[in-house]
Amino acid sequence: MTIYEQILAKIKQYDTIIIHGHVRPDGDCIGSQLGLREALRLNFPNKKVYAVGEMASYVKFLGEVDVIEDNVYDNALAICVDCGNSERLLDQRFKLAKEIIKIDHHIPVDNYGDIEWVCEEKPSCTQMIYEFLTNANLKLNKDAAICLYTGLVTDTGRFRFDSVTSETFICAAELLKYGVDIAKIDGYLSIESLDVIKFKGYVLSHFKLTKSGFAYIKVTKEIVEKYGISYEDAANQVNVISTIPGYPVWALIIEYPAEIRVRLRSRGPDVDKLANAYKGGGHAKASGCKLADWSELTKFVKEANKLVKEYKKAL
């Protein structure tokens, strides 16, 4: 039995299906959750299908998540998407479900699903959701296609990342057949408030470069509050410093009210192991992690420098 058949069999078995995503959800997470929800509602109108968690502000045009009570999990199936470790799932009530399916494209941190489908080589979870739906001979509609396409373009950096393959473009092309308006979606994704643009100016004026080739910007919660933007909008500016020649690794380190998080990116060396050492993880070229406090930043920068040095030495 293929993985598609295994997942489909479980979906058919349950009358209630609850789709979970990770903390601080991005476009791929929301696109996977809502895209799968819409497709399952289309194909199984008698089932109760929910997507729980929270919305990312920049993809609010996709719809809304559901609010459900604990008792809905009784004899339910939980499908967890776009999350390599159970601790990062936003709504921990997935544990209340009778069975759990994990669908993810990150480097796995732990095994938390009764059925697990993990493809690290896939550029987005939405591509996996599309492949499941088509291989399971399930129907799509325009609403589902819009969600899946949005997740695809956001997690591939508009098809710029090296994880993109011909399959990714085929997926996008097939989704367009359902009436996806790519110009409209690009318009939604490209709009930025004046406050965000001003914050970009701050990043460009205050980032630091090391002699080894690591670029980073430190953002305190006071800076976020000064510019009047959300922490999500601030963290999303990590790639503002991504194009500097000779600096293949960069990071945005942001202080949230309760923690300090690092958004770590690369166009050269793998950075996931560095992230793992700081209670994080993710992809080889795009990971996230945490600092215990600001005093740990010096050590983190030193280890990032070492990573870049070893990479450049091997070239």
Side-chain angles (χ1 to χ4, degrees):
M1 184 179 287
T2 67
I3 189 63
Y4 312 117
E5 292 170 331
Q6 292 179 52
I7 294 172
L8 180 61
K10 286 298 177 184
I11 288 172
K12 289 181 176 180
Q13 182 180 333
Y14 286 87
D15 293 326
T16 301
I17 300 162
I18 307 166
I19 306 166
H20 285 251
H22 56 72
V23 296
R24 290 176 294 278
D26 56 7
D28 187 35
C29 178
I30 297 297
S32 296
Q33 285 186 269
L34 301 192
L36 181 59
R37 181 187 68 182
E38 297 311 306
L40 293 184
R41 286 177 175 177
L42 173 67
N43 287 274
F44 303 101
N46 294 324
K47 294 183 183 294
K48 297 177 181 178
V49 185
Y50 306 100
V52 298
E54 64 183 29
M55 286 297 297
S57 61
Y58 69 103
V59 289
K60 276 190 174 294
F61 63 91
L62 295 180
E64 295 292 340
V65 293
D66 302 296
V67 179
I68 61 175
E69 300 296 328
D70 291 356
N71 59 12
V72 179
Y73 285 86
D74 295 341
N75 200 36
L77 172 68
I79 302 179
C80 302
V81 300
D82 198 41
C83 191
N85 57 305
S86 58
E87 287 185 2
R88 288 199 72 237
L89 288 164
L90 177 60
D91 191 333
Q92 288 289 307
R93 292 183 298 171
F94 76 95
K95 298 172 184 176
L96 300 177
K98 187 172 182 180
E99 289 190 277
I100 301 165
I101 294 175
K102 173 184 178 181
I103 302 176
D104 185 44
H105 69 127
H106 296 91
I107 297 170
V109 177
D110 63 359
N111 300 318
Y112 60 84
D114 297 291
I115 295 176
E116 297 196 340
W117 178 30
V118 178
C119 291
E120 298 172 36
E121 71 276 9
K122 299 295 182 181
S124 76
C125 191
T126 47
Q127 182 173 324
M128 295 177 67
I129 299 297
Y130 170 79
E131 290 175 3
F132 159 67
L133 294 170
T134 54
N135 282 281
N137 294 315
L138 296 178
K139 295 180 291 185
L140 279 81
N141 58 16
K142 184 177 180 179
D143 289 340
I146 289 172
C147 293
L148 296 178
Y149 179 83
T150 300
L152 191 66
V153 296
T154 53
D155 229 35
T156 60
R158 289 168 167 80
F159 307 106
R160 292 185 293 111
F161 299 156
D162 59 8
S163 56
V164 172
T165 66
S166 59
E167 291 179 347
T168 310
F169 286 104
I170 291 171
C171 175
E174 291 298 318
L175 290 171
L176 293 186
K177 294 180 181 180
Y178 293 90
V180 173
D181 188 333
I182 58 175
K184 188 174 183 180
I185 290 175
D186 185 70
Y188 281 127
L189 297 175
S190 300
I191 291 174
E192 293 179 322
S193 69
L194 184 59
D195 289 332
V196 169
I197 292 172
K198 289 179 178 178
F199 176 73
K200 280 187 174 182
Y202 173 85
V203 173
L204 290 170
S205 301
H206 292 81
F207 70 88
K208 295 182 179 181
L209 303 175
T210 70
K211 293 180 179 179
S212 300
F214 177 53
Y216 67 98
I217 175 71
K218 172 183 174 180
V219 181
T220 64
K221 59 178 181 287
E222 287 79 15
I223 291 297
V224 177
E225 292 167 3
K226 175 183 176 181
Y227 284 89
I229 62 176
S230 68
Y231 287 93
E232 176 190 339
D233 283 337
N236 283 338
Q237 308 315 311
V238 58
N239 287 325
V240 168
I241 55 174
S242 66
T243 58
I244 306 169
Y247 293 83
V249 177
W250 62 98
L252 185 148
I253 303 103
I254 182 170
E255 181 183 23
Y256 288 81
E259 61 184 0
I260 299 172
R261 295 198 60 86
V262 180
R263 286 205 169 184
L264 186 61
R265 301 292 185 266
S266 171
R267 57 174 182 276
D270 293 347
V271 294
D272 56 289
K273 289 183 176 59
L274 175 57
N276 289 341
Y278 287 85
K279 298 181 180 180
H283 301 289
K285 309 298 183 186
S287 291
C289 56
K290 299 179 183 180
L291 299 182
D293 50 51
W294 282 121
S295 65
E296 200 171 30
L297 178 58
T298 300
K299 179 184 176 184
F300 180 84
V301 172
K302 182 178 179 180
E303 293 181 4
N305 281 334
K306 181 181 177 182
L307 180 69
V308 176
K309 282 181 181 178
E310 291 175 350
Y311 168 74
K312 289 184 174 181
K313 186 176 180 180
L315 291 177

